Amino acid sequence: MRERIYLDHAATTPVHPRVVEAMHPFLTEVYGNPSSVHGFGREARQALEGARDTIARFLDADPQTLVFTSGGTEADNMAIIGGAMAQRERGRHVITSSIEHHAVLHACEHLEQLGFEVTYLPADKTGLISTDELKKAVRPDTILVSIMYGNNEVGTIQPIEEMGSYLREREIVFHTDAVQAVGVLPISVSKLPVDMLSVSAHKINGPKGVGALFLGRKVPFTPYLHGGSQERKRRAGTENLASIIGFAEAARIAQEEMEDRVAKYRQMRTTMLQCWQQEGISFEVNGHPEKHLPHILNVSFPGVHTETMLMNLDLEGVAAASGSACTSGSLELSHVLEAMCLDDPVAQSAIRFSFGITNTVEEAERAARKVAQIVHRLKR
């Protein structure tokens, strides 16, 4: 059987064995509804709040500020739509960037249909959003800003602390999508000047279908799911207890292993780049040369179209991506690369490699050699 190398961890990660083990009793034995008052319900509630405490420690947050969601997309939608609707009498201007995940961009487009005005900040060629551009865009009627922590396609880390400090002085609500950053960067919402922050379990070796929104105590917010009074009336619906337990275990492991994981990812990145230099192939790294997430490496191989490279890599057993998993099935150019105004040969040949806990440095080298072989073959 052909060896398979999975280098698409930014899309999703395999569930950690300890996470599966932690979840199992809550799929078989502890099945009460956390909102029920009998013993079965109280047992479930105790487990739910224990998991909330664990994830809160991971983010250095007050447990009561965490709202469990169905994932990063719902957390982003909650923050943007809920934050804007709660303040619509005060103003109707929202600011975001042109390189956000579609969970943010499409939520902003929805606001535009409701009569809000949205400013989309440009990115430079490294994928960086300028704080000066943000300052110029702020108006007296600006009520909400959403800028992602680290980009999911090119890995560029944004100046969130600098932006947040400026916005806090002006009492403008600030949200950041930290889905790709969590687990590879230490995040403390008690120190970071943000009002809302989105995370997702399946990016840190937890189960799919569960995430969380950090929602500051004094942040204006209007729930958009209506039903029961779960999650302190901020998000109706019976909590996905087994997955939340898994999320907490994944967060605990990520916190324990973060330093070692990051060191390995950096070594993998260096190994791949050195391999291509040795092979003498033409390539260009996309994203910021220094301010980037350690597990994402976006590289262009001018002259070899993205889809051609991905197809050839797949035949060789290597899984990579052209960008966000939400859009990589499309043949359209990535909106992130387009917003960065990269030259066509660079934008049209970009591949995202993203590393995870199941990878080894040896795998990274083998994958890099396969890439070089493909480039040499196609160029001939």
Side-chain angles (χ1 to χ4, degrees):
M1 185 176 175
R2 184 187 295 275
E3 174 202 30
R4 298 202 302 171
I5 301 174
Y6 184 74
L7 295 177
D8 197 18
H9 291 261
T12 196
T13 59
V15 180
H16 196 290
R18 275 173 54 185
V19 170
V20 176
E21 186 180 351
M23 291 175 66
H24 189 261
F26 297 88
L27 294 167
T28 55
E29 301 163 24
V30 186
Y31 48 80
N33 187 319
S35 297
S36 298
V37 296
H38 48 59
F40 291 87
R42 292 196 305 273
E43 186 180 21
R45 169 60 60 182
Q46 185 177 9
L48 177 71
E49 296 310 324
R52 197 187 308 273
D53 289 346
T54 298
I55 297 166
R57 283 194 296 274
F58 181 51
L59 298 174
D60 193 20
D62 178 343
Q64 294 187 9
T65 61
L66 291 187
V67 183
F68 288 119
T69 68
S70 63
T73 292
E74 188 191 340
D76 285 345
N77 273 251
M78 274 183 71
I80 291 161
I81 299 171
M85 294 302 288
Q87 302 180 83
R88 61 189 182 278
E89 300 305 321
R90 191 167 74 85
R92 288 184 170 241
H93 181 233
V94 173
I95 299 172
T96 189
S97 85
S98 54
I99 61 166
E100 298 296 310
H101 190 278
H102 280 117
V104 169
L105 294 176
H106 290 167
C108 287
E109 288 169 11
H110 175 69
L111 288 180
E112 288 178 303
Q113 293 170 1
L114 298 178
F116 288 81
E117 187 179 347
V118 181
T119 297
Y120 297 89
L121 300 176
D124 67 13
K125 282 187 175 291
T126 69
L128 199 63
I129 309 298
S130 163
T131 305
D132 289 337
E133 289 292 327
L134 170 64
K135 291 177 180 178
K136 283 191 278 186
V138 168
R139 307 185 325 206
D141 62 337
T142 303
I143 55 168
L144 176 70
V145 174
S146 180
I147 304 291
M148 71 194 330
Y149 203 116
N151 187 264
N152 55 301
E153 292 194 26
V154 297
T156 300
I157 298 170
Q158 305 301 336
I160 296 301
E161 193 165 349
E162 184 182 2
M163 291 176 169
S165 297
Y166 172 80
L167 295 169
R168 185 154 286 183
E169 288 173 8
R170 282 146 190 81
E171 298 184 343
I172 297 171
V173 173
F174 187 33
H175 165 254
T176 186
D177 175 343
V179 167
Q180 283 297 342
V182 73
V184 291
L185 297 179
I187 291 176
S188 167
V189 295
S190 68
K191 296 175 184 174
L192 205 60
V194 297
D195 301 296
M196 296 185 281
L197 181 142
S198 304
V199 292
S200 182
H202 79 107
K203 306 294 188 180
I204 59 167
N205 306 100
K208 297 174 183 66
V210 63
L213 176 67
F214 158 71
L215 180 60
R217 283 180 176 274
K218 298 179 181 179
V219 177
F221 177 76
T222 299
Y224 72 92
L225 278 183
H226 304 282
S229 58
Q230 292 92 347
E231 296 301 291
R232 296 179 176 85
K233 299 183 179 180
R234 297 168 298 187
R235 196 266 189 187
T238 302
E239 293 91 348
N240 182 359
L241 182 59
S243 292
I244 289 168
I245 296 296
F247 188 4
E249 184 64 19
R252 183 183 290 111
I253 299 167
Q255 196 159 29
E256 291 170 1
E257 298 180 357
M258 191 181 303
E259 194 174 325
D260 291 339
R261 291 183 184 185
V262 169
K264 181 177 75 169
Y265 302 157
R266 286 181 176 148
Q267 192 177 355
M268 290 176 70
R269 178 189 180 95
T270 300
T271 296
M272 293 188 87
L273 296 177
Q274 286 178 344
C275 173
W276 295 325
Q277 286 171 344
Q278 292 165 4
E279 291 281 351
I281 63 171
S282 176
F283 69 94
E284 192 163 325
V285 179
N286 303 314
H288 200 281
E290 294 145 11
K291 301 170 185 172
H292 57 77
L293 298 173
H295 69 301
I296 291 179
L297 174 59
N298 191 299
V299 189
S300 292
F301 303 94
V304 180
H305 195 274
T306 298
E307 300 301 325
T308 304
M309 175 61 82
L310 288 177
M311 184 172 62
N312 277 272
L313 282 174
D314 192 40
L315 291 170
E316 292 289 338
V318 178
S322 58
S324 170
C326 305
T327 56
S328 58
S330 167
L331 294 177
E332 294 177 8
L333 180 65
S334 153
H335 73 280
V336 173
L337 301 180
E338 198 168 18
M340 289 165 59
C341 298
L342 300 180
D343 295 337
D344 284 349
V346 175
Q348 292 170 4
S349 63
I351 303 290
R352 182 188 69 183
F353 301 95
S354 48
F355 315 128
I357 63 170
T358 56
N359 294 133
T360 63
V361 176
E362 290 73 26
E363 276 185 333
E365 183 172 6
R366 286 199 296 275
R369 297 286 176 203
K370 289 178 187 291
V371 169
Q373 289 165 11
I374 293 166
V375 171
H376 284 312
R377 185 171 70 245
L378 293 175
K379 289 287 182 74
R380 280 201 303 268

